[in-house]
Amino acid sequence: MTMTEDRAEQRSDDTALRPFTVQFAQEDLDDLRTRVRETRWPERETVDDASQGVQLQVVQQLAQRWADDYDWRAVELRLNELPQFVTRIDGLDIHFIHVRSAHEGALPMIVTHGWPGSVIEQLKIIGPLTDPTAHGASAEDAFHLVIPSLPGHGFSATPDATGWDPIRIAKAWVQLMRRIGYERYVAQGGDWGNAVTEQMALLTPPGLIGIHTNMPATVPDAIQAALSAGEPAPEDLSPEERGAWDQLAFFYAHGLAYAQEMGNRPQTLYGLADSPVGLAAWMLDHDSRSYDLIARVFAGGSEGLTAQDILDNVTLYWLTNTAVSSARLYWESKLPFFAPKGVTLPVAVSVFPDEIYAAPRSWSAQAYPNLIHFNRLDRGGHFAAWEQPDLFSREMRAAFRSLR
């Protein structure tokens, strides 16, 4: 079954778990390469840093690699080696990867990506979590993994009406786990994945026993109010809390442009659907630490991500034409992103230092009264599973060990 055939089946009322494979036409790949090579470039930025946005040199290095030395078929092969399915939930076709562990007693876990992520973010953790004994861990720490594509992202269908916010997606994920047959499971997410996962926890569905987040929503109301008003940091903050304040203040001052545009005017972003280089630059400008890492990668540095990794993810957005549809999630959601939501289920938190903000233990304990795991890692950022899969996998094992 090709990508095109699966898209055509969106009209079906079938609620079965339908096998799915990925195969784009060669003409689509040729068109992509041509568009990259024919990019009309602007002049270089007039500063010597990234304060005006994604730098020309970085994007030209990316484009050169994309046009001359990139193999999309390799990621198609990786995806098609995994069990993939599509099923219709609430009128929409949802794509997901489902890998069962061979170990008896494995704990089912649904893992949700964010923006500008995709299921490609989670590919590196599938082996370590489903087959832990092959990766130096215990069989008792095994997981069955369900990794869906958010609506309007990747291989899931694009909503043709409003209403697909994190709350509705959470309800769909609960139905997905029930349809697969899992009666006891956990959920994980960062970025939009955290928003969806916390909403799942708030639904308290039968079977969901706990959640893990690598981008928790913990910012106290008083802190958020002070940040929004541009006030100075409160004097009674601990060093850990002051570090989080500084990160948040920087993000609100310099890192929200993409979210504001997508939250207010997502349909205006036609250029992202027409120019692959324009799409890549937009996706690179998510947060400063991720951008710095990616800039080092295309300059030849050795990092947790490779140039192939980055291009795999951007190419997925391009080939599925989901730049604008994925942006609409920012328009749909009315949830305060970093505010505590009142989750009472068991919650595990992993804090990666180069995340948008490193949540302090004090804020986490206040936001999640049933905090079962909290750990600060020494490296890693926003795309933790993708960038630091070994650390991330160890965190998953530790996070849920008490719930098995």
Side-chain angles (χ1 to χ4, degrees), residues 58-95:
V58 174
V59 185
Q60 288 185 327
Q61 289 168 335
L62 178 150
Q64 186 276 322
R65 180 70 177 262
W66 212 357
D68 300 333
D69 188 25
Y70 173 69
D71 180 15
W72 166 256
R73 296 301 186 198
V75 75
E76 278 190 348
L77 181 62
R78 288 177 68 197
L79 287 167
N80 290 335
E81 287 174 343
L82 300 168
Q84 297 179 86
F85 302 89
V86 170
T87 191
R88 179 166 285 261
I89 299 177
D90 195 10
L92 201 69
D93 270 9
I94 300 297
H95 163 266

Side-chain angles (χ1 to χ4, degrees), residues 14 18 49 104 157 160 199 234 297 302 310 322 329 386 394:
D14 184 14
R18 308 182 327 253
D49 54 29
E104 186 176 352
D160 58 7
Q199 291 303 313
V297 168
S302 177
I310 297 157
T322 50
L329 184 52
W386 200 22
R394 276 185 251 162

